[in-house]
Amino acid sequence: METALILCEGYFGTGTGKTANGLVRYSRRYRIIGVLDRTKAGRDAGEVLDGKPCGIPIFADLRTALTKLPEKPDTLILGVATFGGYIPAEFRPVILEAIKAGMNVAAGLHEYLSEDREFAELAARQGVRLIDVRKPRPLRELEQFSDRSRHLPCLRIPVLGTDGSIGKRTTAILLTEALEGAGISAEFVATGQTGLLQGARYGVPIDAIRGDFMVGELEAQIVKAYEERKPKVIVVEGQGSISHPAYVCGTRAILMASMPSGIVLQHAPGRKVRNFRQDVVSWPMPPIEKEIQMLELFSDSKVLALTLNHETLTPEDVKRIEEEYESRYGLPTCAPLLDGCEKLVDRIRVML
């Protein structure tokens, strides 16, 4: 594994820093050895995220990191998911500094490192790589819908949500690992930049693909995952929310590409408004009932379980809400980061 340092200045532990957060929690493509965020410098990244040290230090700047780390990182990863997918202007000096230091730079933004003349010319001189994981394949290579997923002899379980940046990818990865741990072969299919940076074997940056090819490109990855790995369960990462006014394509494209055997729905009971430009738009969180109805209508499938993002909630709050939801909706409910995914595994096991 390549070693990597994550640039997340001012955003680590927040929704905008979800790429950094995800990589600190899980990565099989890079070995994360540090985070850059002067607002949390001196702390342990795991302690900031989950209250548990993980041995990944946070530094104030690149120079300090390169001085204190026992090895020079191979790669600098931009650990933010900015609205619009732009490279933050304040990141540019750090990116240039990293390239001059002989480091590769990786990003999952809509604004590509490789198409920035200043970065590209300097990277060429320094002999380092610029990696844009959110860049789709060339147009002539893109696939269209072919109705192959629903014929696969395996379960297809997308983890969808009532909002963006609500933990769908984290739950999907934890569920995949829990199934494997229970002796049920499973494969994770990524649909966003963080999952691809984390090293998912299969996936596409779905929101960067032209509309005509969104479903076909993801469908092709789901089919490839089955043909190459023969899992009993394919877990697909969700994007946005089917009822969210700012995310019009992600969830429906994922439903059509996966043709679900069942759906896991993630919700954040502590949220009052959607996670999108709250300085501009204050849009209320949807009722769970409405989200379930819309997903089941569009997919001709059923929501089989509810999962919780426990932000702003105490463990006592979580337990109370789990019991309330199980009684109200008749669906197994858990908070994967706190409880694990045993309830989900048990529910899926009876479907095999």
Side-chain angles (χ1 to χ4, degrees):
M1 297 173 71
E2 293 183 30
T3 55
L5 188 64
I6 305 173
L7 175 58
C8 197
E9 181 59 42
Y11 297 109
F12 186 65
T14 72
T16 299
K18 69 177 186 178
T19 296
N21 304 342
L23 285 163
V24 164
R25 286 183 173 130
Y26 175 88
S27 178
R28 62 184 185 190
R29 176 172 177 176
Y30 297 100
R31 179 165 60 88
I32 308 303
I33 60 175
V35 174
L36 301 182
D37 185 344
R38 69 183 66 252
T39 67
K40 299 177 179 69
R43 300 175 67 182
D44 181 278
E47 182 270 325
V48 171
L49 281 183
D50 302 312
K52 300 176 183 178
C54 66
I56 298 175
I58 304 176
F59 300 100
D61 52 56
L62 180 58
R63 179 176 298 180
T64 302
L66 294 180
T67 299
K68 292 188 174 182
L69 285 170
E71 56 187 315
K72 187 182 82 172
D74 299 307
T75 302
L76 177 74
I77 301 174
L78 307 195
V80 293
T82 56
F83 290 117
Y86 309 122
I87 298 171
E90 63 271 25
F91 282 21
R92 291 190 68 87
V94 188
I95 295 169
L96 293 169
E97 185 182 358
I99 295 172
K100 290 175 183 176
M103 298 170 62
N104 304 315
V105 183
L109 301 172
H110 287 309
E111 192 170 24
Y112 303 135
L113 295 163
S114 58
E115 294 182 2
D116 184 292
R117 183 173 178 178
E118 186 177 19
F119 295 155
E121 289 180 353
L122 182 58
R125 290 198 300 269
Q126 295 296 121
V128 301
R129 292 176 294 137
L130 300 177
I131 303 156
D132 292 302
V133 300
R134 213 171 184 173
K135 195 171 188 177
R137 298 188 305 148
L139 178 64
R140 295 279 181 172
E141 297 177 18
L142 298 178
E143 299 207 38
Q144 292 183 319
F145 175 67
S146 61
D147 194 25
R148 290 180 288 169
S149 286
R150 70 188 178 98
H151 302 290
L152 295 175
C154 65
L155 296 182
R156 299 164 307 284
I157 310 291
V159 177
L160 307 176
T162 57
D163 196 11
S165 297
I166 203 169
K168 299 178 288 288
R169 171 186 38 77
T170 297
T171 291
I173 290 172
L174 291 173
L175 174 56
T176 304
E177 292 190 329
L179 288 165
E180 286 282 342
I184 301 170
S185 58
E187 194 66 38
F188 168 68
V189 176
T191 58
Q193 69 274 20
T194 305
L196 296 170
L197 282 166
Q198 287 175 307
R201 275 186 287 255
Y202 305 97
V204 291
I206 194 165
D207 65 354
I209 298 171
R210 299 186 187 196
D212 283 353
F213 303 98
M214 271 186 172
V215 175
E217 279 288 280
L218 179 55
E219 178 191 50
Q221 288 295 303
I222 292 168
V223 172
K224 185 179 180 183
Y226 179 76
E227 290 177 345
E228 292 184 355
R229 310 291 295 186
K230 299 296 189 294
K232 292 182 179 178
V233 183
I234 294 177
V235 182
V236 184
E237 174 192 9
Q239 292 293 326
S241 156
I242 197 165
S243 66
H244 198 306
Y247 303 121
V248 295
C249 296
T251 297
R252 187 156 187 262
I254 291 165
L255 290 172
M256 298 303 101
S258 62
M259 294 291 173
S261 310
I263 297 165
V264 172
L265 178 60
Q266 178 109 349
H267 183 61
R271 288 190 191 180
K272 303 303 179 187
V273 296
R274 309 261 194 171
N275 184 38
F276 181 83
R277 294 298 306 276
Q278 292 175 16
D279 57 322
V280 177
V281 178
S282 183
W283 200 272
M285 288 289 287
I288 293 177
E289 295 89 341
K290 176 183 177 183
E291 204 79 11
I292 291 174
Q293 289 170 0
M294 293 181 72
L295 290 171
E296 293 184 346
L297 176 65
F298 272 97
S299 68
D300 196 27
S301 182
K302 294 292 183 182
V303 171
L304 58 88
L306 301 175
T307 52
L308 304 181
N309 178 321
H310 66 278
E311 62 186 34
T312 76
L313 303 176
T314 66
E316 293 74 25
D317 290 335
V318 171
K319 183 169 180 57
R320 173 181 54 78
I321 292 169
E322 287 173 351
E323 293 175 353
E324 176 189 336
Y325 284 7
E326 288 186 342
S327 174
R328 183 188 304 175
Y329 302 112
L331 296 170
T333 304
C334 64
L337 277 172
L338 295 181
D339 307 325
C341 294
E342 184 177 350
K343 288 183 180 180
L344 307 183
V345 172
D346 289 344
R347 179 67 183 85
I348 289 170
R349 194 193 303 275
V350 302
M351 299 169 63
L352 293 170

